[in-house]
Amino acid sequence: MSLGVAATALGFSACVDDLDREPTNPNEITDVTNSMDRVFADIYLNFSTFGAAGNSPVSGFDGGMASFQRALFIAEELPTDEASWLWDPSSYGTINYGVVVPTIDAVFGFYSRLMINITLCNQFIQSVDNGTYKAAEGESAEAFEARKAEYKRQAKILWGGCYYYMLSFYDKIPYADENTPIGSLPAQLPRAEVYANVTSQLEEIVASYAPNQVPAYGFVGLDAAEAILAKIYLNGEVFAGRADYDKCYAHCDNIIKRLGKGGFENTGLAPSYNGLFGFDNDKYVLGNSKNACNEIIWTLAQDKENLLSWSGASFLIAGWIGTNGVEVTTPMPTQDQTLDGKTFEDGKNLRYYKYIADKKEYDDAKKKWDNDLKDWQKNITETINNIHYSFDPSAKGWISQQWYNAGGVWKCMVARKSFVRKFEWNDPEMSISDDVRVSNWQTSSHGFTAENPSLLGDDWGGNGYLTPKYTNWAYNEDGTINYAGSPEPTEQVGGDYAVIRLAEIYLTAAEAALKGGGGSEAEALKYVNYIRRRAYGDHDHDWTSLTMNDLREERCRELYQENVRRTDLIRWNLWCTGYTWEWKGGVANGTNLPEYTKLYPIPSRVMSSSNFEQTTGY
């Protein structure tokens, strides 16, 4: 079954009633059809966008904001040094400061999204086990049983991915699996018990796969299951008081042995970093035969024609950028040097001269150029895709959405200075770097400031760098933009969102190794240098030794905006104390956070209609 085809079919008929359900009873039965493929696709649809047929399953809430990736970005990134949201305090509250209350919409959004997706996975497995579905016409009984078994495994992997985040956010966790009766409220279990349950079930899934079994593009399989397990085990001490670094390393090692070939220096990494975050990044997704390497292990698929959303790449482009202080301009027209044997000189923008042989045509063009443009518009400051731009010197920040091939811009986010400083810059102004991972940023070279005097939308352009990672361009293998192969700019874009990449597995294996989980320090160093060599394009930035702090900084640089930052800081004991960033705790220069902020509260709307206990400290 093609994910794109299945998702398109779901556009005509939702599998889950109106998909308008409060998450306080997450096991409310769904009105399924008899098509196993359609119901199975609905699970994936609720990871890639906010719901079937344009409906959000989170009632009374912004659907885009409650999409899986975007909801997790709000929880994982906005409270940290990597990002901040400049608008809508009624929905986001003080989440920018790392301090939240259970009444704000954002808390309701990510809790609801996780519980709804967990429910969809459980109900699908139950419906398969209950004999709801029939074999397709002409399908043998043996093939049908194999298809059911594989679909159930994938549903369980996605279920495990959701519970990884529940383990990150809560300590009294509503726990439901396919054995939870439909219609019953899930029991709250201690974090350590959920950790044991989830890892045990995912281990069974891993053991059931044939070696080297690869899923079809857009679906999860063996590598995703092991990657999720590695993420859970890496945080074992936080989640369950267990130092399971040996298990973490073992699963990473399995993945690296399968996927660590082809691509950049035969490591399995994509040839270029930027290509992973462009319009055509699906060619690097596991299961896609378009490329010899498959760095993206778990993807949230998007398709220009059939499956788009207000999360993922769409959100991570529009949320960061705007069009500000920039005008498209033209070069000063110049007569052909051979005309009348004379040479025209004006002393500026020589490389952009447009030579005109006809005298009248030249005179008209020169007159128009003189009269129609302000003085600053006559200066070509930047040329991208053969389009010339000039910057208004009075504007705070200079940027054009055309530079990202974007159709929608929101001006909603800025980065904190502490995060910007983690990268290796060649100048004190932090505008020039050899690190390709900052190549899409807007810095002081374009009139932005790294300082964060406020986290207010009205100050956008003067209160932080813009650090977009995704674009709507297609990329060549060497990381240059393929303008001819890029789509028309639209508000929603077709690039996939990479949930887990092989680069993260290399960094996770390195951390587990430094924690004594297996391998060696030499191996950890080798893995980190793979990451650095791709980022810099040479061996000059290779490290000769590796400390845990080095690894932390490199993990931040490589995986920013990939929904790991808050969990990482907590694992490293840097969330409450030990590291301070701008506006942490609501103070301009940052301050320590209380211990209870390592967890999120269960939303008030859930608490008021259930017998749940609130998270410790709230």
Side-chain angles (χ1 to χ4, degrees):
M1 179 190 64
S2 162
L3 179 61
V5 171
T8 306
L10 282 165
F12 299 110
S13 174
C15 294
V16 187
D17 264 341
D18 296 325
L19 285 175
D20 186 21
R21 300 176 287 125
E22 296 287 344
T24 53
N25 187 358
N27 277 306
E28 182 179 347
I29 190 169
T30 58
D31 179 16
V32 299
T33 71
N34 287 325
S35 170
M36 185 167 68
D37 281 1
R38 286 167 63 88
V39 179
F40 184 57
D42 190 34
I43 298 173
Y44 279 94
L45 192 68
N46 274 274
F47 280 87
S48 288
T49 186
F50 49 75
N55 297 316
S56 171
V58 185
S59 137
F61 190 74
D62 181 287
M65 190 172 165
S67 300
F68 181 74
Q69 175 276 332
R70 189 165 160 190
L72 294 176
F73 184 94
I74 292 167
E76 275 286 342
E77 303 289 358
L78 294 184
T80 74
D81 53 352
E82 287 189 3
S84 54
W85 192 262
L86 306 181
W87 302 97
D88 196 9
S90 64
S91 292
Y92 292 86
T94 55
I95 206 165
N96 278 327
Y97 309 140
V99 179
V100 299
V101 294
T103 54
I104 62 173
D105 287 347
V107 170
F108 182 67
F110 56 74
Y111 174 90
S112 300
R113 171 50 64 190
L114 290 171
M115 290 307 300
I116 285 167
N117 284 16
I118 286 167
T119 298
L120 291 171
C121 294
N122 287 337
Q123 290 182 200
F124 175 77
I125 295 171
Q126 289 174 330
S127 64
V128 172
D129 289 342
N130 291 338
T132 300
Y133 310 113
K134 308 300 180 186
E137 186 175 350
E139 185 178 27
S140 69
E142 183 181 11
F144 182 48
E145 289 303 317
R147 186 160 63 99
K148 288 195 296 184
E150 177 55 26
Y151 284 11
K152 284 172 57 179
R153 283 192 294 199
Q154 291 188 34
K156 180 59 71 172
I157 294 167
L158 294 171
W159 170 91
C162 289
Y163 267 113
Y164 160 74
Y165 291 105
M166 293 296 285
L167 284 162
S168 296
F169 298 153
Y170 305 103
D171 67 341
K172 301 167 186 173
I173 300 174
Y175 179 81
D177 59 24
E178 67 271 25
N179 298 311
T180 304
I182 292 176
S184 65
L185 198 68
Q188 276 184 295
L189 298 183
R191 213 177 189 183
E193 189 172 343
V194 175
Y195 177 93
N197 288 349
V198 173
T199 53
S200 174
Q201 294 193 49
L202 287 177
E203 290 284 9
E204 289 180 9
I205 294 295
V206 168
S208 72
Y209 269 107
N212 303 314
Q213 187 171 337
V214 177
Y217 161 74
F219 295 90
V220 294
L222 173 60
D223 295 288
E226 292 209 80
I228 292 166
L229 274 169
K231 288 168 75 75
I232 295 173
Y233 286 138
L234 183 66
N235 294 282
E237 288 185 290
V238 175
F239 295 169
R242 293 173 50 171
D244 282 334
Y245 296 109
D246 55 338
K247 296 177 182 177
C248 174
Y249 177 85
H251 284 294
C252 290
D253 190 50
N254 290 341
I255 296 168
I256 290 167
K257 285 175 178 173
R258 287 193 297 267
L259 302 183
K261 52 193 172 185
F264 176 76
E265 293 189 358
N266 205 36
T267 62
L269 300 176
S272 75
Y273 187 79
N274 283 343
L276 289 161
F277 309 105
F279 167 73
D280 57 346
N281 63 349
D282 61 336
K283 64 189 176 186
Y284 300 121
V285 174
L286 183 64
N288 195 328
S289 60
K290 293 181 183 178
N291 202 284
C293 70
N294 300 121
E295 179 171 347
I296 301 175
I297 295 170
W298 178 9
T299 192
L300 300 184
Q302 298 286 276
D303 180 84
K304 186 71 173 172
E305 303 298 327
N306 299 317
L307 181 60
L308 293 171
S309 75
W310 292 112
S311 63
S314 299
F315 166 68
L316 289 175
I317 296 171
W320 285 104
I321 68 172
T323 289
N324 194 70
V326 172
E327 295 284 348
V328 175
T329 190
T330 57
M332 179 179 178
T334 308
Q335 285 183 285
D336 190 284
Q337 291 187 17
T338 63
L339 185 65
D340 298 328
K342 298 179 181 178
T343 300
F344 185 90
E345 296 180 1
D346 72 350
K348 53 184 176 179
N349 290 329
L350 292 173
R351 61 196 167 116
Y352 297 117
Y353 274 2
K354 179 182 178 183
Y355 294 111
I356 301 175
D358 181 82
K359 180 69 166 63
K360 184 177 185 309
E361 183 184 350
Y362 165 74
D363 289 342
D364 290 345
K366 180 68 165 60
K367 183 177 180 181
K368 180 175 173 56
W369 191 84
D370 285 337
N371 294 338
D372 291 356
L373 299 182
K374 300 173 185 176
D375 286 343
W376 61 267
Q377 289 176 297
K378 297 175 183 179
N379 232 354
I380 293 174
T381 322
E382 191 134 348
T383 300
I384 298 174
N385 195 18
N386 295 319
I387 300 173
H388 307 302
Y389 299 92
S390 56
F391 299 166
D392 181 354
S394 67
K396 290 190 300 183
W398 309 313
I399 182 176
S400 170
Q401 66 196 68
Q402 291 178 290
W403 301 348
Y404 298 87
N405 198 31
V409 293
W410 302 345
K411 292 185 175 180
C412 283
M413 292 194 283
V414 294
R416 323 281 177 116
K417 185 178 181 180
S418 294
F419 166 68
V420 173
R421 292 175 62 184
K422 291 187 180 302
F423 288 79
E424 298 167 21
W425 301 95
N426 298 338
D427 62 325
E429 294 77 25
M430 295 191 292
S431 67
I432 302 169
S433 176
D434 299 324
D435 191 335
V436 72
R437 295 172 294 195
V438 304
S439 58
N440 291 320
W441 291 17
Q442 299 305 322
T443 68
S444 60
S445 66
H446 289 82
F448 290 88
T449 174
E451 305 294 332
N452 307 108
S454 79
L455 297 182
L456 301 175
D458 289 339
D459 295 331
W460 184 95
N463 63 345
Y465 278 2
L466 310 186
T467 60
K469 188 168 190 169
Y470 281 80
T471 77
N472 193 34
W473 296 115
Y475 285 88
N476 300 310
E477 291 293 285
D478 63 357
T480 57
I481 295 174
N482 176 8
Y483 292 111
S486 296
E488 290 298 312
T490 52
E491 287 191 273
Q492 293 176 305
V493 303
D496 285 10
Y497 177 78
V499 184
I500 305 176
R501 297 188 287 119
L502 181 59
E504 180 181 351
I505 299 305
Y506 275 124
L507 292 167
T508 299
E511 184 168 347
L514 292 186
K515 287 288 191 177
S520 65
E521 290 186 18
E523 185 178 58
L525 176 63
K526 178 178 70 173
Y527 290 166
V528 173
N529 278 333
Y530 289 165
I531 305 298
R532 289 181 61 78
R533 281 205 294 277
R534 181 175 63 177
Y536 290 97
D538 57 39
H539 287 252
D540 296 343
H541 295 82
D542 282 11
W543 285 336
T544 56
S545 61
L546 181 68
T547 67
M548 184 59 72
N549 188 63
D550 292 334
L551 177 60
R552 291 169 185 153
E553 301 293 272
E554 195 61 34
R555 185 176 170 95
C556 175
R557 289 187 284 264
E558 177 69 17
L559 301 179
Y560 73 95
Q561 295 177 29
E562 296 187 41
N563 295 346
V564 299
R565 184 60 172 163
R566 180 180 176 275
T567 300
D568 284 352
L569 289 170
I570 291 170
R571 181 175 70 257
W572 299 328
N573 289 316
L574 297 175
W575 173 255
C576 294
T577 59
Y579 171 49
T580 303
W581 56 90
E582 293 71 24
W583 295 102
K584 177 183 176 182
V587 176
N589 292 326
T591 189
N592 291 336
L593 290 170
E595 190 74 13
Y596 75 88
T597 63
K598 290 181 178 179
L599 299 164
Y600 277 114
I602 294 175
S604 296
R605 279 188 260 182
V606 175
M607 293 297 297
S608 64
S609 56
S610 72
N611 60 355
F612 285 165
E613 290 183 47
Q614 185 54 278
T615 302
T616 302
Y618 289 90

